[in-house]
């Protein structure tokens, strides 16, 4: 009995803790949106962050997209050729890339790369009193530090996802047509016929929402870093892990929701 | 112009400040001394609104600041300058950008004016020509001086110095002391100087306050402090360790 209670207590503690953190993340998000409207946007900072996120993440994102498309096309070919369904490979690859693989994998990598960088940067500013120095100079940290990062990621993520989709679908085509000898014209024709703008829309809206999740969690973690250098490492790891998990869970609900909204009739 | 009334604050489960009262008049320089860990930095952070007290209030120019929201503090913070104990320069910005930061935030756009004001501020702290360096390339003492230059560049009405001369060679330390005096005389800038350095305390202080066990234990002019017969104050001023039981 005592053990059960102890366990229940632990589960309860984890639960209330998660709720508290989730609440704090939502408050931060609300504060970010408010600051975005209330203060003049710092475009120089936004562009600087976009350069870091957008341009510098391109290689990572393109590689992810390319190899995901390639491996998915190969697997689909292995299975579909048994049923003589080679002509369906193209649309299968492109729809899977658009609806799930592209946004999810691309944003998981962004969580690892950009989320970690945000959390590490903010938490080291926090522990070296730079955040306090900012406050002491009369600047609101949310407005100066978080808004540019948030906006930069929210703008960049859909663009990067789009790039990942293009390379993924392109590499899928290459693998299926050039390596496994599927009829190219047929492949392309079917891909275009069965992939519509809604699929692309799903990719973009998902990555947009994932970007919000990543930046909110990473910034929250960074701004609430415990003192000491060990805090920075812990914060960074937690930011990446939490953002990735949260992204995967939200993805499921988004899939269901978007399906209901877009394909209701 | 600045007044602390019965400030109480706990840090990490321990009550660090237990009812601090302190007044700083216009253009007055108050030195706060006290043992390491007694809560001097915490006190300065409370004045800046970086921490909120559990009881008591900070009153600045007749306005009670305690209880204001983070953003409502900002206009007042711009009138109060603070030199952090650890410098706290923005390490992603060059020295120039660090110094220009407060001016830019206050709406100064002209690059020429910025260049000139930054050069002037760096000259005052004897760091001329370091504009393009990054904070990581400066020594500890240089960082401190650059941070001092950043804090005074927008001529706040009152400056809070957290150990301005710690880690500086005696010559630069002397020049910083002179600078604190000079700023007071030239611009009527009031200041609170936290220090362990009794030479500096005697030189810059109109008044010296000894913070002990969360309260202002003793307050007086440098002369009064020097002639104080209280054993705690005497030991601190003369640098004796007898009071804490370590004798040689
Ligand atoms: N963020 C914090 N969390 C927990 N405790 C803290 C924190 N900051 C300060 N303290 C505690 O508050 C007390 C006062 O710290 P403070 O930094 O004000 O000392 P100080 O008088 O400035 O010392 P020094 O002269 O060494 O700088 C210390 O006992 C310290 O342990
Ligand atoms: Mg201190």
């Amino acid at each position: 009995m005592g053990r059960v209670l102890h366990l229940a207590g632990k589960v309860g503690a984890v639960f209330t803790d998660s709720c508290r953190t989730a609440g704090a993340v939502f408050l931060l998000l609300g504060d970010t949106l408010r600051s975005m409207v209330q203060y003049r946007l710092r475009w120089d900072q936004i562009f600087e962050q976009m350069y870091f996120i957008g341009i510098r993440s391109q290689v990572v994102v393109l590689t992810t997209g390319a190899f995901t498309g390639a491996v998915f096309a190969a697997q689909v070919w292995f299975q579909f050729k048994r049923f003589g369904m080679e002509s369906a490979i193209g649309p299968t690859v492109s729809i899977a890339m658009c609806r799930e693989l592209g946004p999810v994998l691309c944003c998981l990598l962004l969580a690892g790369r950009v989320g970690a960088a945000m959390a590490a940067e903010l938490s080291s500013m926090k522990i070296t009193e730079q955040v306090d120095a900012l406050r002491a100079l009369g600047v609101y940290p949310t407005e100066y530090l978080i808004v540019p990062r948030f906006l930069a990621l929210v703008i960049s993520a859909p663009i990067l996802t789009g790039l990942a989709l293009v390379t993924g679908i392109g590499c899928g085509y290459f693998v299926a047509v050039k390596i496994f000898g599927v009829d190219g014209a047929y492949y392309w024709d079917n891909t275009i016929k069965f992939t519509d703008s809604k699929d692309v829309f799903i990719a973009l809206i998902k990555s947009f929402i994932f970007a919000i999740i990543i930046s909110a969690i990473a910034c929250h973690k960074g701004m609430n870093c415990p003192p000491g250098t060990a805090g920075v490492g812990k914060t960074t790891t937690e930011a990446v892990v939490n953002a990735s998990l949260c992204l995967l869970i939200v993805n499921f609900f988004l899939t269901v929701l978007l399906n209901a909204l877009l394909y209701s009739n | 112009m600045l007044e602390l009334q019965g400030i109480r604050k706990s840090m990490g489960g321990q009550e660090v400040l237990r009812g601090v009262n302190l007044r700083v008049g216009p253009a007055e320089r108050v030195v706060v001394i006290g043992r390491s860990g007694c809560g001097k930095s915490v006190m300065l952070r409370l004045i800046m609104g970086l921490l909120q007290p559990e009881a008591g209030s900070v009153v600045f120019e007749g306005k009670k600041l305690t209880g204001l929201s983070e953003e409502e503090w900002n206009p007042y913070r711009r009138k109060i300058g603070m030199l952090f104990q650890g410098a706290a320069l923005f390490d992603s910005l060059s020295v120039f950008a660090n110094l220009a930061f407060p001016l830019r935030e206050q709406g100064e756009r002209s690059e020429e004016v910025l260049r000139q004001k930054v050069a002037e501020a760096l000259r005052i702290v004897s760091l001329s020509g370091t504009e393009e360096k990054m904070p990581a390339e400066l020594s500890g003492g240089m960082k401190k001086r650059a941070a001092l230059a950043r804090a005074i560049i927008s001529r706040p009405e009152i400056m809070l110095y957290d150990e301005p001369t710690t880690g500086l060679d005696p010559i630069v330390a002397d020049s910083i002391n002179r600078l604190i005096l000079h700023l007071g005389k030239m611009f009527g800038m009031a200041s609170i100087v936290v220090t362990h350095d009794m030479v500096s305390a005697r030189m810059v202080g109109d008044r010296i306050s000894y913070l002990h066990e969360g309260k202002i234990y003793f307050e007086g002019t440098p002369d009064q402090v020097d002639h104080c017969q209280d054993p705690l104050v005497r030991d601190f001023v003369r640098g004796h360790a007898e009071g804490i039981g370590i004798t040689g």
Side-chain angles (χ1 to χ4, degrees):
Chain A
M1 190 61 201
R3 267 216 182 142
V4 175
L5 276 181
H6 181 69
L7 190 70
K10 276 217 160 146
V11 172
V14 169
F15 181 73
T16 47
D17 225 45
S18 321
C19 286
R20 195 172 305 131
T21 311
V25 171
F26 273 108
L27 284 180
L28 179 79
L29 197 58
D31 194 32
T32 307
L33 296 177
R34 184 185 59 81
S35 306
M36 220 149 77
V37 188
Q38 195 169 327
Y39 294 91
R40 198 172 42 83
L41 289 178
R42 297 172 186 266
W43 286 106
D44 50 339
Q45 297 250 20
I46 297 175
F47 284 128
E48 195 180 306
Q49 292 293 328
M50 276 178 72
Y51 170 75
F52 172 73
I53 298 169
I55 317 280
R56 307 271 300 278
S57 301
Q58 260 176 3
V59 177
V60 177
V61 165
L62 291 182
T63 314
T64 311
F67 281 89
T68 309
V71 81
F72 193 68
Q75 285 290 0
V76 171
W77 185 75
F78 298 152
Q79 305 306 320
F80 279 21
K81 75 164 187 237
R82 298 197 295 183
F83 310 109
M85 284 168 48
E86 279 97 335
S87 57
I89 297 177
T92 308
V93 169
S94 83
I95 289 177
M97 281 302 292
C98 286
R99 293 200 193 166
E100 302 292 342
L101 297 174
V104 170
L105 290 175
C106 176
C107 289
L108 279 177
L109 274 138
L110 287 180
R113 200 190 130 81
V114 180
M118 279 184 188
E121 215 177 338
L122 293 180
S123 52
S124 41
M125 287 189 76
K126 171 98 185 165
I127 64 165
T128 53
E129 293 186 317
Q130 291 177 56
V131 175
D132 282 334
L134 203 59
R135 295 169 65 201
L137 293 170
V139 176
Y140 191 45
T142 307
E143 174 255 330
Y144 185 79
L145 294 173
I146 300 184
V147 168
R149 288 174 169 76
F150 176 84
L151 276 178
L153 186 57
V154 164
I155 297 170
S156 308
I159 300 177
L160 288 170
T161 302
L163 283 175
L165 290 182
V166 173
T167 44
I169 293 170
C171 284
Y173 174 86
F174 178 79
V175 168
V177 175
K178 301 286 178 211
I179 299 182
F180 297 124
V182 175
D183 180 351
Y186 214 41
Y187 184 101
W188 210 215
D189 198 44
N190 277 339
T191 301
I192 289 175
K193 196 152 91 197
F194 290 102
T195 316
D196 63 16
S197 54
K198 281 181 185 173
D199 297 307
V200 178
F201 175 73
I202 289 178
L204 299 183
I205 195 83
K206 275 188 170 180
S207 52
F208 175 78
I209 291 172
F210 295 160
I212 295 177
I213 294 175
I214 296 168
S215 45
I217 292 181
C219 291
H220 166 76
K221 282 283 169 198
M223 296 302 270
N224 292 286
C225 172
T229 19
V232 178
K234 187 165 160 280
T235 299
T236 310
T237 318
E238 281 181 4
V240 174
V241 172
N242 292 2
S244 306
L245 289 180
C246 189
L247 186 158
L248 289 170
I249 295 168
V250 167
N251 179 48
F252 170 73
F253 292 103
L254 262 182
T255 298
V256 175
L257 182 72
L258 287 171
N259 196 60
L261 288 178
L262 295 174
Y263 300 95
S264 51
N265 36 0
Chain B
M1 93 180 268
L2 181 87
E3 198 172 349
L4 302 188
Q5 299 168 339
I7 296 277
R8 287 175 170 273
K9 179 71 187 173
S10 300
M11 296 297 295
Q14 174 207 358
E15 192 163 48
V16 179
L17 300 181
R18 305 172 188 170
V20 172
N21 295 302
L22 192 74
R23 279 186 72 105
V24 185
E28 190 182 19
R29 292 177 304 276
V30 175
V31 171
V32 176
I33 55 176
R35 302 268 300 280
S36 185
C38 73
K40 303 180 297 295
S41 299
V42 168
M43 187 182 86
L44 294 187
R45 298 162 71 81
L46 280 157
I47 297 175
M48 258 301 176
L50 304 176
L51 293 171
Q52 298 304 324
E54 276 123 34
S57 45
V58 177
V59 178
F60 179 65
E61 293 178 338
K63 163 107 179 127
K64 184 173 167 220
L65 299 186
T66 306
L68 294 185
S69 76
E70 176 69 21
E71 285 163 290
E72 285 164 343
W73 264 96
N74 285 341
Y76 298 98
R77 285 182 181 140
R78 292 183 182 193
K79 297 185 181 179
I80 309 176
M82 175 154 176
L83 170 66
F84 284 81
Q85 192 168 356
L89 292 171
F90 301 126
D91 54 20
S92 60
L93 301 181
S94 68
V95 169
F96 173 78
N98 261 287
L99 265 67
F101 188 91
L103 300 174
R104 285 188 172 137
E105 286 306 312
Q106 288 171 19
E108 182 58 66
R109 286 278 164 273
S110 150
E111 276 303 303
E112 197 180 325
V113 174
L114 288 174
R115 286 267 154 218
Q116 181 211 325
K117 284 195 171 172
V118 168
E120 164 74 9
L122 284 175
R123 192 185 56 73
I124 291 180
V125 296
S126 26
L127 277 181
S128 291
T130 54
E131 275 98 335
E132 300 316 319
K133 284 202 164 36
M134 295 304 282
E137 300 170 87
L138 302 180
S139 76
M142 290 163 86
K143 279 189 192 134
K144 194 106 194 201
R145 281 182 281 153
L148 177 56
R150 180 179 70 182
I152 59 171
I153 200 165
S154 56
R155 301 271 181 268
E157 292 169 25
I158 176 164
M159 261 301 296
L160 315 178
Y161 302 89
D162 200 342
E163 307 195 6
T165 54
T166 307
L168 302 182
D169 66 68
I171 297 176
V172 176
D174 186 61
S175 73
I176 298 295
N177 290 331
R178 283 172 201 280
L179 172 64
I180 295 172
L181 283 172
H182 172 80
L183 288 170
K185 296 219 173 84
M186 288 294 288
F187 305 103
M189 203 184 279
S191 36
I192 299 181
V193 186
V194 161
T195 186
H196 297 286
D197 175 356
M198 283 311 296
V199 177
S200 158
R202 286 192 193 92
M203 182 168 163
V204 302
D206 293 323
R207 202 143 51 81
I208 298 183
S209 298
Y210 182 54
L211 184 65
H212 182 68
E213 293 188 334
K215 289 199 168 124
I216 301 293
Y217 181 81
F218 179 87
E219 200 167 22
T221 61
D223 260 355
Q224 285 170 327
V225 171
D226 279 337
H227 297 111
C228 178
Q229 288 309 309
D230 186 283
L232 278 172
V233 179
R234 210 179 49 205
D235 284 354
F236 187 94
V237 170
R238 300 190 189 152
H240 281 197
E242 280 148 35
I244 55 172
I246 306 167
T247 47

